[in-house]
Amino acid sequence: MVLRSGALLWATNVLSFATWYWRLDAGGPHGRASRWGHPTGAFLFPQMSMGEDAPKEPDGRPWSPTFLDYLFLAFNTSTAFSPTDTPVLSRWAKVLLMVQALISLTVTLVLVARAVNIM
């Protein structure tokens, strides 16, 4: 029961922060869709630094992150306690990443403490 609750709390943490990153970065999905590419934002995704070799969107526009990219960022932050491949550029995003990693670490520590207590 405790493991299921911890896993659900961890998954909720990942989904919540992925949604926040997706909604807040560079004006949200509608703001990013109205611009050509993703020149400004709180995160520097690897595709943004590839220059001419960067992948293109199906309509020929420069690459722009989708929800899956933010979900990957949130998943990595919750498992590695850091953004593994995506540098964080803005202060608000750094604060959110710290809060997310702290929540994930706390959930992990509570589960380990509970497991030790049961032994």
Side-chain angles (χ1 to χ4, degrees), residues 2-63:
V2 173
L3 286 178
R4 187 178 323 135
S5 298
L8 185 60
L9 183 58
W10 183 86
T12 302
N13 181 33
V14 170
L15 288 173
S16 297
F17 280 92
T19 303
W20 283 349
Y21 302 147
W22 180 63
R23 296 286 301 153
L24 296 174
D25 186 34
H30 299 294
R32 289 188 302 272
S34 67
R35 284 189 297 281
W36 191 255
H38 189 68
T40 61
F43 304 103
L44 179 63
F45 291 96
Q47 294 87 340
M48 294 165 60
S49 60
M50 292 175 67
E52 295 298 320
D53 296 331
K56 302 279 187 214
E57 297 293 336
D59 62 359
R61 295 167 44 140
W63 181 88

Side-chain angles (χ1 to χ4, degrees), residues 45-93:
F45 291 96
Q47 294 87 340
M48 294 165 60
S49 60
M50 292 175 67
E52 295 298 320
D53 296 331
K56 302 279 187 214
E57 297 293 336
D59 62 359
R61 295 167 44 140
W63 181 88
S64 185
T66 63
F67 180 74
L68 186 61
D69 298 299
Y70 294 103
L71 181 62
F72 183 74
L73 172 68
F75 179 83
N76 285 339
T77 302
S78 285
T79 55
F81 307 119
S82 67
T84 56
D85 72 337
T86 306
V88 184
L89 304 176
S90 72
R91 290 185 178 124
W92 68 262

Side-chain angles (χ1 to χ4, degrees), residues 79-115:
T79 55
F81 307 119
S82 67
T84 56
D85 72 337
T86 306
V88 184
L89 304 176
S90 72
R91 290 185 178 124
W92 68 262
K94 290 175 183 180
V95 170
L96 278 180
L97 281 163
M98 287 190 303
V99 170
Q100 181 187 3
L102 182 62
I103 290 170
S104 188
L105 182 62
T106 302
V107 168
T108 303
L109 290 176
V110 167
L111 287 176
V112 168
R114 178 69 177 147

